[in-house]
Amino acid sequence: MPRAFNPAFPHSRTIAAFLLAILAAIAALPALANNIETRLVVEGPVAPGKTVTLAIAQEPKPTWHGYWLNPGDAGFGMDTTWTLPDGWSAGEPEYPVPEPLVIGTLMNHVYEGPYAILVPLTVAADAKAGETVEIGLEANWLACTDEICVPERGTFTAQVAIAEADSEPPHDAQFDEWRAHLPAPLAEKGRYAVDGETLRIAVPVAPGADVTSPHLFPAADGFAEFVAPQSFSRNGNWLIVETVADDDAAAGEPYEAVLRLGDGTGLAVTLESGDVPAAGEPIAGLTASSGALPGLAWLLLLAFAGGVILNVMPCVFPILSLKAISLAKANEQGAHKDALAYTAGVMVAVLLLGAVLLGLRAAGEEVGWAFQLQEPATIVLLLILASAITANLAGLFEMMLPVGRSSHGSGAFLTGLLAAFVATPCTGPFMAAAMGAALLLPVTDAMLLFAALGLGLAFPFLLIGFVPPIRRLLPKPGAWMNTFRRVMAVPMGLTALALVWLTWRIGGVTLLALGLVATALVLMLLFETGRRQKLGLYAKGAVLAAFALALVATAIAASMKTDAPVVEDELGATNYSEAALAEARASGKPVFAYFTADWCVTCKVNEATAINREDTKLAFEKAGVVVIRGDWTRRDATITRYLESQGAAGVPLYVWYAPGKDGEVLPQILTVDTLTALATGD
């Protein structure tokens, strides 16, 4: 019988290598098209030593918005770097009057339509008339919808014509329109007073001026709570504003602010500490548009429930079953330590994946939950790992799996890392809203959602570890465990076969061949090590070479840009694109849009049991349903944007469009009856 052995290197290094491979594989993701179209415009020729106005004109796509210089509770304004000749200088940018937008509990200061940021450009006095000089701009800004934010950037150039010294200043009607949207500066100062949590502000207004639907935008943080209600009243020539003061607000400092009026115009005012008149005749303020999110407590509950459900996924169940048995046979103190160590491993893995996901999105990449399964490197490494675990469970060789207890709980910790890493690609009915919100909320709230997911995944083991009656319900250890272990090799083996298919799907024959060679090499080394009980120097080098080969395989496949084989479906679906969906909806027929991935177990179950069924096909054909299919197996920016526009962080996603109506998001678990009822209108 094969003999047990000590690993050549700690399992922690192997898991760390997997995570580093993920980071390396996603380090060079392609740049994506901007959602706010931007251009640099010069008003006209300018004389030497004079100033001309530049416009950074921006036009968000429908449902997208840009940000004011003070974005509010979330977001950021534009950051600019100019490339100018010696003696030239760009002044402070001037922003148009923004509008308020509330998302959840966050107040944002945004632009939802075309707008322009104006910048004064002063030309050197020794510039030569008749010349044309090129200037450059590098800009960074944030583009958002109510569900997703994407940092964007652009590099722009413009030609500035140098006019004669006595020429007239340039005049452009388009610039006049842009200037009309700038706030008009008030010569008279406003006043403010802080009384505990209350902030009272007085803005001077002209006698008889019609003030309707106002809203005050502080130009800096630390003055007012952005999302707090603002009450307005008129006392003579003063507009009185009462709201909640920021914790850092203190009398003495001057503050800049913009007062927006109902017609979209605004006033720029400097506020100085002083006496504020009493409130007068009430005025209704501007109502902020809203893109509300569910409450954080509810989202945390959904994430926790989704984590609990992940425990029954077939790819992770064999590992967790063995772990549960190891906890059952532990004494009370050992079970406590094991459960806590396992939980720590799960939390580290989930939080690390969440942090990488948020970091990639902050860098401008449109990625979603389970992004690691869209990278060839991860698939090949998981194929090697699943094959090795299957062979071990089947008794082909003996090795120290991290499912048993070991000193200091390191085995349990590594099991938690492994379980979380292979389980997170799955999403369930409770996870969609929580993970979608995690991509929109501030970083702290988003990480809390990831932590709730991890706690849900670890929760059954905490119960087993800390509740003896539950632990006693598990069968007693005995000879049957060897049989059980062999049985558990079956679902793990099916997972390995699924990864073989996925390797082919994601990288074609080249990646599959190299991945299988790397897997075979690792298995041969494990068999040999199990026989000899010890790895020699050359064997250790061969192990590293095998993993290097796997990474080389992914690089070769990526460079070849192999298209995944096309999988036919029963419904004759059209591949998703924005144009295809728009055309289908314009046809006046019902539309069924479904989004899937080859690594998504729930997706494949739904397709086998509900979508690709004869009854569904007949009902759809009779009703003339147009079917749109989005394959998210490999990263696709257009699909990512659509998923997040529906509040989903991953797949599966199913949306039904009745003729002339907005889309209805369907449950993540489908049945034939669900789909046929939609088609027949029952």
Side-chain angles (χ1 to χ4, degrees), residues 68 183 201 203 216-220 223 255-259 267-271:
W68 188 47
I201 300 167
V203 179
L216 189 76
F217 296 92
F223 182 54
Y255 289 96
E256 303 295 328
V258 167
L259 179 69
L267 304 172
V269 60
T270 300
L271 304 174

Side-chain angles (χ1 to χ4, degrees), residues 40 57 59 69 120 147 280 308 315 323 353 373 410 450 478 500 503 525 544 554 571 597 627 633 680:
L40 179 61
E59 184 170 355
L69 61 91
E147 291 86 19
V308 173
C315 53
K323 188 64 199 171
L353 288 171
L373 265 293
S410 60
F450 292 125
V500 170
T503 304
L525 289 167
L544 295 177
T554 64
L571 303 180
V627 181
T633 302
T680 59

Side-chain angles (χ1 to χ4, degrees), residues 87-354:
W88 293 44
S89 62
E92 290 296 319
E94 298 179 272
Y95 282 74
V97 178
E99 53 190 300
L101 172 66
V102 175
I103 299 179
T105 60
L106 306 177
M107 169 64 79
N108 301 270
H109 307 154
V110 304
Y111 304 105
E112 295 188 308
Y115 63 101
I117 301 169
L118 303 185
V119 181
L121 175 69
T122 302
V123 175
D126 58 358
K128 296 182 179 179
E131 289 188 346
T132 299
V133 180
E134 182 175 275
I135 61 173
L137 168 66
E138 292 184 10
N140 297 272
W141 62 90
L142 187 68
C144 292
T145 68
D146 290 349
E147 291 86 19
I148 175 178
C149 287
V150 181
E152 298 183 345
R153 62 182 64 88
T155 301
F156 312 94
T157 59
Q159 307 296 320
V160 180
I162 308 301
E164 297 292 339
D166 56 354
S167 62
E168 293 291 328
H171 177 79
D172 187 312
Q174 176 64 74
F175 277 78
D176 289 343
E177 181 179 346
W178 284 329
R179 289 189 182 96
H181 290 85
L182 298 178
L186 289 176
E188 186 178 356
K189 300 290 193 298
R191 306 173 191 169
Y192 74 92
V194 180
D195 182 10
E197 295 183 353
T198 302
L199 175 65
R200 302 186 69 248
I201 300 167
V203 179
V205 292
D210 185 18
V211 178
T212 58
S213 302
H215 187 87
L216 189 76
F217 296 92
D221 297 338
F223 182 54
E225 290 288 346
F226 298 129
V227 78
Q230 298 180 356
S231 63
F232 296 87
S233 62
R234 182 76 177 262
N235 185 342
N237 294 336
W238 293 100
L239 180 69
I240 310 302
V241 188
E242 294 186 353
T243 186
V244 178
D246 187 89
D247 292 340
D248 296 328
E253 295 288 332
Y255 289 96
E256 303 295 328
V258 167
L259 179 69
R260 179 187 172 96
L261 303 177
D263 59 359
T265 61
L267 304 172
V269 60
T270 300
L271 304 174
E272 296 181 339
S273 179
D275 294 330
V276 175
E281 182 180 353
I283 297 175
L286 179 66
T287 301
S289 58
S290 177
L293 289 173
L296 181 60
W298 176 244
L299 292 171
L300 290 172
L301 180 61
L302 294 178
F304 176 82
V308 173
I309 291 175
L310 290 181
N311 284 280
V312 299
M313 301 311 296
C315 53
V316 74
F317 184 70
I319 301 172
L320 303 188
S321 298
L322 296 175
K323 188 64 199 171
I325 292 171
S326 74
L327 282 171
K329 67 182 182 181
N331 59 42
E332 186 165 339
Q333 183 179 7
H336 292 177
K337 291 181 179 179
D338 246 17
L340 290 174
Y342 173 84
T343 301
V346 169
M347 298 297 286
V348 167
V350 172
L351 290 175
L352 177 60
L353 288 171

